[in-house]
Amino acid sequence: ATGPVSQVLAAAAASPRRWAGWVALPLLGGRRQAAMVKETIRVYARVKPLGRRQQAGIYSIDEDEKPLSSLEITVPRDLADGFINNKREMYKFKFQKIFDQEAKQDVVFESIAKPVADCVLAGYNGTILAYGQTGSGKTFTITGGAERYSDRGIIPRTLSYIFDQLQKDSSKVYTTHVSYLEIYNECGYDLLDPRHEASRLEDLPKVTIMEDPDQNIHLKNLSLQQATNEEEALNLLFLGDTNRMIAETPMNEASTRSHCIFTIHISSKEPGSATVRRSKLHLVDLAGSERVAKTGVGGHLLTEAKYINLSLHYLEQVIIALAEKNRSHIPYRNSMMTSVLRDSLGGNCMTTMIATLSLDKRNIDESISTCRFAQRVALIKNEAVLNEEIDPRLMIVQLQKEVQELKDELALVTGKQRTSQLSREELLQLDELIEMFLEDTDPESTLDVGADMRKIKYCFIHVKQLMNHVKTSQNKMQSQHTSEEKDTNKDLGEELKKLKELLQQRDNEINILVNMLKKEKKKAQDALLQLNAASAGSKVLEQSTSLNLEESQSPSSCFSLKEAKEFSCSVHRLPFLSRQTGGKMSLGCQEAFEIFKQEHVDSITIEDNKQLLKQRY
Ligand code: ADP
Ligand code: MG
């Protein structure tokens, strides 16, 4: 996911440059590979020549430490007097290159602006920022001095260079537009208002920021003026500068407290191609970076004092946030300037900053804070992406043309003019062929419809339909089967359940009967024990183990009929015994009989009679 292609896509998606009707689509692979350049913001320093009455500060430039140069600033003894001993007196800052007082505008342009202009011509975004205190040479560097032609600054030189290059390159069609925006007190003004009526900044059209759902910034009311050549572009620059000067006059501080952004928009396209490259170059003259609490040299000199301009404070916050690792939120939205320059700071842009320094003795502290700011900016990494877009309208025209060409080529090869649809006869013929092929049992049989994609596609669709049909009918049958199986399974289950219940019922019954049996058996055993104890001497009863009911019921001298009946009833009251013996008297019955006899009221009399009869016998 971190490959160059995805990075390009991600950067393209995040690009604020997505105009209505245009789709940001970088060309990948194939003819051209969308390129991305990742590099830190280049930071240069330019030292302004001293004025007549200015007293020089002590500084030195060391160019030997390649590839960077370093600037050493020494705090004069008399200024450092107020410091505690361990305070530093010498400061060293590194820059890409340092332009000393005598450096001319052409040299500055060649080293700083030309490489950026080349990138913009190649389709990348570019920004050149001038940062420094008021009077340090920002406007002189960006726009230039009015006195001599050679004092032309970066903007006119860049315009001249760009149009020169565009004229040389006949392989592409270029379109150039310029816009000129002034931001004062969080309000944007269109400096290219052609009415020449503005006498104050407020009379100029107000520019506002609009953010679309993709968080892309759009500037409403900022006019984009087309410039087809250098002269037209320069006229627009003069118009903007005139508006800027007129507007500043009644309000002197506007010149030092406003930001001016001159933007060159370039779009290029190869003839016949649907791909458009769009890039823009911001040339930014920032507000004076001076801070409050400048006096009170001692304690305040090297501490970070507050900016007079609040939006520069927000710019610094953005830069601090960008320099911090793993920082997800960058407070671009805090000011209009940081919103407009969002891409130039940590985004899709090749950015360069020029720190302008006025290194006279009085401005040492401001120069040091300018250098410190520059060091932080130098840490920011930008990812410039080639801004290629595809114009859908052009793409359609191009594709239609290609289709026609291919059709013609095909007709030439086959000798037949083809339509996109197959005829009825052709379809019927194909159906027959497919049927024959499917029915052929020979595993090596083939379906030959010729080199016609329409027919091949039709065959595949037809076979797919057949397959689907077979599948659905199979599914149906399967589902029927399973429903029947389910029914029988259900029946069996219910029967099993019933049988189980029945089994349980029977088990319960058996248990009850077994318990009853056990109880009766115990009763009988108890009775036997009692009997044995009671009639230990009765030999008659001991011997008559097989006495049965019939015998007992038969008339005898010892038993009355009534007694016999009573006995029979008592025996019947013992279901276990009667069932077991089937009417015959068992041991248990005998025991019971014995108990009955013992308990009978006449038992003693009978025993006496027995004894008496025995004696008499
Ligand atoms: P700023 O825009 O930073 O407030 P200016 O660009 O207006 O400062 O410069 C202040 C004055 O210094 C102007 O008169 C300008 O012509 C002069 N100046 C600045 N830089 C240079 C330079 N490198 N060479 C000659 N004159 C300069
Ligand atoms: Mg200025």
Side-chain angles (χ1 to χ4, degrees):
T2 51
V5 169
S6 63
Q7 280 171 350
V8 166
L9 284 172
S15 167
R17 216 157 195 319
R18 214 183 284 172
W19 296 0
W22 293 85
V23 189
L25 267 181
L27 267 190
L28 303 172
R31 287 172 296 146
R32 270 171 286 169
Q33 181 94 41
M36 185 192 61
V37 180
K38 197 170 178 171
E39 63 163 42
T40 51
I41 293 181
R42 290 187 193 181
V43 180
Y44 297 87
R46 185 181 195 183
V47 184
K48 196 196 101 164
L50 282 179
R52 246 176 266 151
R53 273 173 285 167
Q54 282 176 323
Q55 202 186 342
I58 308 160
Y59 72 93
S60 68
I61 294 166
D62 187 354
E63 304 255 271
D64 293 339
E65 293 176 49
K66 298 272 181 226
L68 301 177
S69 307
S70 61
L71 175 70
E72 252 178 45
I73 302 175
T74 309
V75 179
R77 274 258 154 250
D78 50 339
L79 284 181
D81 271 354
F83 289 93
I84 323 165
N85 290 340
N86 62 3
K87 278 274 182 185
R88 290 163 57 184
E89 285 176 27
M90 218 171 55
Y91 290 83
K92 196 171 172 180
F93 303 100
K94 288 205 189 305
F95 291 94
Q96 194 78 36
K97 194 171 163 55
I98 300 157
F99 299 91
D100 208 353
Q101 298 184 33
E102 52 283 352
K104 296 290 166 224
Q105 297 283 57
D106 55 344
V107 177
V108 171
F109 168 77
E110 287 285 327
S111 335
I112 298 175
K114 206 166 143 188
V116 181
D118 282 332
C119 285
V120 174
L121 283 167
Y124 296 91
N125 290 335
T127 298
I128 300 173
L129 296 154
Y131 177 96
Q133 70 179 110
T134 299
S136 62
K138 296 184 298 295
T139 307
F140 185 84
T141 302
I142 295 291
T143 311
E147 282 172 36
R148 283 176 293 263
Y149 183 67
S150 58
D151 281 349
R152 266 147 59 242
I154 285 174
I155 298 176
R157 283 174 195 271
T158 305
L159 283 173
S160 170
Y161 177 73
I162 283 175
F163 281 106
D164 217 31
Q165 295 302 111
L166 297 190
Q167 256 183 349
K168 280 184 198 163
D169 183 8
S170 55
S171 69
K172 285 184 196 137
V173 183
Y174 288 95
T175 323
T176 36
H177 289 84
V178 297
S179 63
Y180 207 169
L181 170 72
E182 178 159 359
I183 300 170
Y184 176 72
N185 226 350
E186 283 307 297
C187 277
Y189 300 96
D190 182 8
L191 289 174
L192 295 189
D193 177 41
R195 290 172 298 168
H196 295 284
E197 282 168 3
S199 58
R200 293 175 306 160
L201 208 53
E202 285 85 346
D203 297 334
L204 291 167
K206 252 193 174 179
V207 178
T208 48
I209 283 188
M210 309 269 281
E211 207 176 310
D212 67 19
D214 294 337
Q215 297 192 327
N216 297 322
I217 299 284
H218 301 272
L219 294 169
K220 199 182 151 196
N221 254 354
L222 181 67
S223 60
L224 272 182
Q225 310 276 0
Q226 189 167 4
T228 48
N229 54 43
E230 186 187 342
E231 199 191 338
E232 278 178 28
L234 284 176
N235 282 338
L236 287 165
L237 171 66
F238 298 144
L239 165 67
D241 279 339
T242 311
N243 276 334
R244 187 174 160 184
M245 271 176 340
I246 294 169
E248 276 166 3
T249 319
M251 197 168 30
N252 223 2
E253 59 171 21
S255 65
T256 67
R257 293 199 182 178
S258 67
H259 314 284
C260 289
I261 305 173
F262 184 85
T263 310
I264 306 165
H265 307 254
I266 301 174
S267 69
S268 65
K269 189 174 86 67
E270 276 173 27
S273 161
T275 309
V276 181
R277 284 187 183 179
R278 296 171 172 280
S279 54
K280 53 186 172 180
L281 173 57
H282 291 309
L283 301 167
V284 188
D285 187 352
L286 288 171
S289 65
E290 51 274 10
R291 300 167 190 234
V292 285
K294 184 182 168 179
T295 49
V297 172
H300 295 296
L301 178 64
L302 298 170
T303 57
E304 291 286 307
K306 273 189 183 140
Y307 281 106
I308 291 169
N309 192 301
L310 194 62
S311 65
L312 280 174
H313 165 71
Y314 290 127
L315 173 66
E316 187 167 45
Q317 283 196 337
V318 165
I319 285 172
I320 290 169
L322 282 167
E324 270 177 34
K325 270 184 190 165
N326 308 325
R327 176 88 179 245
S328 58
H329 175 70
I330 309 295
Y332 291 112
R333 287 191 206 172
N334 280 350
S335 79
M336 187 173 187
M337 194 255 296
T338 49
S339 296
V340 174
L341 293 181
R342 189 170 72 176
D343 249 11
S344 311
L345 306 162
N348 173 18
C349 195
M350 304 274 223
T351 304
T352 292
M353 190 185 109
I354 310 164
T356 54
L357 304 165
S358 175
L359 277 168
D360 63 304
K361 210 171 158 185
R362 262 184 39 236
N363 288 319
I364 288 291
D365 52 350
E366 284 295 353
S367 299
I368 288 170
S369 71
T370 295
C371 289
R372 278 182 173 163
F373 180 82
Q375 305 298 289
R376 282 205 205 111
V377 171
L379 298 173
I380 298 171
K381 274 203 181 81
N382 276 9
E383 290 177 8
V385 179
L386 203 56
N387 299 301
E388 278 187 333
E389 294 163 349
I390 289 171
D391 182 344
R393 286 166 305 168
L394 288 175
M395 194 70 177
I396 289 166
V397 172
Q398 206 181 325
L399 288 173
Q400 278 173 340
K401 210 176 131 202
E402 207 172 309
V403 167
Q404 193 50 52
E405 275 172 11
L406 288 170
K407 274 185 179 169
D408 291 348
E409 208 171 304
L410 199 65
L412 206 70
V413 173
T414 57
K416 280 185 219 162
Q417 202 72 39
R418 272 181 195 173
T419 52
S420 57
Q421 297 288 324
L422 287 163
S423 70
R424 261 188 80 81
E425 293 92 81
E426 281 173 317
L427 289 174
L428 285 170
Q429 216 178 338
L430 278 174
D431 287 352
E432 238 171 78
L433 272 173
I434 295 165
E435 211 170 309
M436 264 161 59
F437 170 69
L438 291 174
E439 279 169 6
D440 197 341
T441 47
D442 181 5
E444 288 187 358
S445 68
T446 53
L447 178 58
D448 190 5
V449 292
D452 186 339
M453 270 323 283
R454 299 168 306 164
K455 289 183 179 175
I456 293 169
K457 275 183 189 160
Y458 178 80
C459 285
F460 274 113
I461 291 167
H462 195 96
V463 172
K464 187 180 175 181
Q465 279 171 350
L466 280 174
M467 283 274 294
N468 283 345
H469 184 71
V470 170
K471 254 192 217 165
T472 45
S473 52
Q474 264 181 353
N475 281 351
K476 257 189 200 165
M477 267 166 58
Q478 255 182 359
S479 63
Q480 261 178 2
H481 266 271
T482 46
S483 72
E484 276 169 20
E485 264 173 35
K486 266 184 198 165
D487 284 353
T488 43
N489 278 349
K490 211 174 139 191
D491 289 352
L492 283 173
E494 274 174 14
E495 208 174 308
L496 190 72
K497 211 175 135 193
K498 272 185 193 165
L499 285 171
K500 274 185 180 170
E501 278 172 6
L502 201 67
L503 196 68
Q504 185 68 45
Q505 211 180 324
R506 292 281 178 272
D507 270 349
N508 290 344
E509 279 174 17
I510 289 168
N511 275 338
I512 293 166
L513 289 170
V514 166
N515 283 336
M516 272 168 73
L517 200 72
K518 280 181 181 166
K519 270 185 199 163
E520 295 299 342
K521 206 175 171 183
K522 200 167 177 292
K523 263 189 194 169
Q525 273 173 352
D526 289 348
L528 189 65
L529 283 173
Q530 276 184 359
L531 189 71
N532 285 344
S535 58
S538 170
K539 279 180 184 161
V540 178
L541 285 171
E542 264 172 41
Q543 282 157 4
S544 62
T545 49
S546 63
L547 188 74
N548 66 34
L549 210 66
E550 279 92 342
E551 281 169 337
S552 71
Q553 275 180 342
S554 64
S556 80
S557 51
C558 319
F559 281 93
S560 69
L561 195 65
K562 190 190 155 215
E563 279 167 344
K565 269 187 184 165
E566 274 182 11
F567 175 65
S568 164
C569 284
S570 75
V571 166
H572 280 289
R573 263 185 268 128
L574 299 168
F576 159 64
L577 291 175
S578 66
R579 253 181 261 149
Q580 278 249 319
T581 54
K584 298 255 180 199
M585 275 187 57
S586 68
L587 192 70
C589 201
Q590 230 175 348
E591 290 160 7
F593 182 51
E594 290 308 326
I595 295 164
F596 168 72
K597 278 201 293 184
Q598 279 170 21
E599 282 169 5
H600 201 275
V601 275
D602 292 331
S603 67
I604 296 165
T605 332
I606 290 168
E607 276 307 306
D608 288 345
N609 286 348
K610 257 189 190 174
Q611 294 297 325
L612 199 73
L613 283 170
K614 265 184 188 172
Q615 281 171 8
R616 283 188 188 167
Y617 180 72

